[in-house]
Every structure is written in structure tokens, then in C-alpha cells.
């Protein structure tokens, strides 16, 4: 797939993900869990690769923050999850590992990365382990949805048409 097509898909996925953020989210006090972001991260990881998956996560987090539907916690969770999922997919081509990469990247590593943001910008000290269960649950739901969608696309040989 050429760069123009990848950039176009990145923009479309980020736009759809941002638009749906007003409809589907789980409020967690000062943060919001957003399973559709994790679905988008896994699909971007498979379709677009690491650079574009991270760009999609960054664009979506930025637009959600600008629209007031996201928080600063969206950045580390979505970006780390998208990066780990896309690296695992590029190395293994295994959808199960890709989905698990999103869950580990967002649910564990991304949630732990929110600690400095919570301390520096929000004065919230409980974020180190407080968000791990919420981020893990949200990323698991989104990654599972993406896994199902991708398995259907693979079974119907539709993914090849998108990738080529």
C-alpha cells in the first residue's frame, strides 16, 4: 500500500474513532475508557504498520482532547498500545498476539505511563495502579472486537483487497 493510501486510511480511522467518542465511552472519574480506540489501534496495526498506527492514536487522542471527549491519559495508553500491537503484528503476523499487544501496551504499560501525567498535571497520585484495571478492561474489549472483525475479514479474504 502506498503512503497516500496509508495516510488516507489513517485519517479516516482517526476521524471515525473521534466521532464515535461522543457515543461510546466509560467514565472513570478524571479519565475516560474508550474501547473503540483500542479497536482502531489493532486495525491500524494490521492495516497500516507501526508509524501510521501511532499517528492514528496520536491524532485521535488530540482530537478527542480538543473536543472535550478525552483526557491527557489518552496519549500514553493509546500510543503505547498501538505501537506494541503494530510491532507484534509486523514481526509475527499473528492476530492473537496483536490483540494481546494492545491489551498489554494500553492496559499495563500505558496505564503505568499515566503516573507522571497524573502527578504533574492533575495532582492525582492514585493513577499508578488505579487505572490499570480500567485500561485493561477497556483495551480487552476493543482488542477483542478488532480481533473478531479482522478474523471475519481474513476468512472472507476481504483483508487482502484492503491491504493491496
Amino acid at each position: 500500500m502506498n503512503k497516500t493510501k496509508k495516510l488516507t486510511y489513517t485519517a479516516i480511522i482517526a476521524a471515525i474513532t473521534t466521532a464515535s467518542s461522543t457515543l461510546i465511552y466509560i467514565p472513570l472519574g478524571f479519565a475516560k475508557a474508550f474501547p473503540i480506540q483500542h479497536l482502531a489501534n489493532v486495525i491500524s496495526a494490521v492495516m497500516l504498520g507501526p508509524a501510521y498506527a501511532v499517528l492514528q492514536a496520536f491524532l485521535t487522542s488530540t482530537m478527542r482532547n480538543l473536543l472535550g471527549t478525552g483526557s491527557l491519559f489518552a496519549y500514553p495508553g493509546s500510543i503505547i498500545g498501538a505501537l506494541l500491537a503494530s510491532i507484534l503484528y509486523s514481526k509475527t503476523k499473528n492476530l492473537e498476539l496483536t490483540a494481546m499487544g494492545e491489551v498489554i501496551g494500553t492496559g499495563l504499560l500505558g496505564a503505568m505511563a499515566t503516573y507522571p501525567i497524573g502527578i504533574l498535571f492533575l495532582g492525582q497520585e492514585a493513577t499508578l495502579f488505579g487505572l490499570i484495571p480500567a485500561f485493561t478492561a477497556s483495551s480487552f474489549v476493543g482488542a477483542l472486537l478488532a480481533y473478531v472483525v479482522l478474523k471475519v475479514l481474513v476468512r472472507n479474504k476481504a483483508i487482502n483487497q484492503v491491504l493491496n
Side-chain angles (χ1 to χ4, degrees):
M1 185 181 317
N2 67 34
K3 288 182 181 184
T4 303
K5 232 180 192 180
K6 283 187 174 189
L7 194 55
T8 303
Y9 279 130
T10 302
I12 291 169
I13 293 169
I16 291 169
T17 306
T18 302
S20 67
S21 70
T22 59
L23 304 172
I24 304 167
Y25 67 91
I26 303 162
L28 302 168
F30 48 84
K32 294 176 185 171
F34 187 48
I36 302 303
Q37 175 68 61
H38 312 295
L39 175 128
N41 285 352
V42 174
I43 289 176
S44 296
V46 171
M47 284 180 54
L48 306 171
Y52 292 95
V54 167
L55 178 61
Q56 174 276 134
F58 176 79
L59 289 173
T60 302
S61 296
T62 300
M63 290 188 293
R64 286 180 53 222
N65 273 281
L66 291 173
L67 293 172
T69 61
S71 71
L72 291 176
F73 297 127
Y75 288 102
S78 64
I79 291 171
I80 294 170
L83 180 62
L84 186 56
S86 59
I87 289 171
L88 285 172
Y89 184 76
S90 68
K91 299 290 183 195
T92 67
K93 304 297 186 220
N94 183 303
L95 294 178
E96 291 87 0
L97 284 177
T98 305
M100 286 306 300
E102 171 64 24
V103 174
I104 292 167
T106 297
L108 184 61
L109 302 175
M112 289 183 353
T114 64
Y115 184 71
I117 293 171
I119 296 295
L120 294 172
F121 298 113
L122 302 175
Q124 301 285 337
E125 234 177 285
T127 61
L128 181 58
F129 295 108
L131 291 177
I132 289 175
F135 277 30
T136 300
S138 177
S139 60
F140 180 79
V141 170
L144 182 62
L145 288 171
Y147 175 77
V148 170
V149 168
L150 289 167
K151 283 303 250 186
V152 169
L153 290 174
V154 167
R155 184 177 318 132
N156 294 327
K157 297 182 175 79
I159 195 80
N160 294 334
Q161 292 173 349
V162 173
L163 295 176
N164 296 326

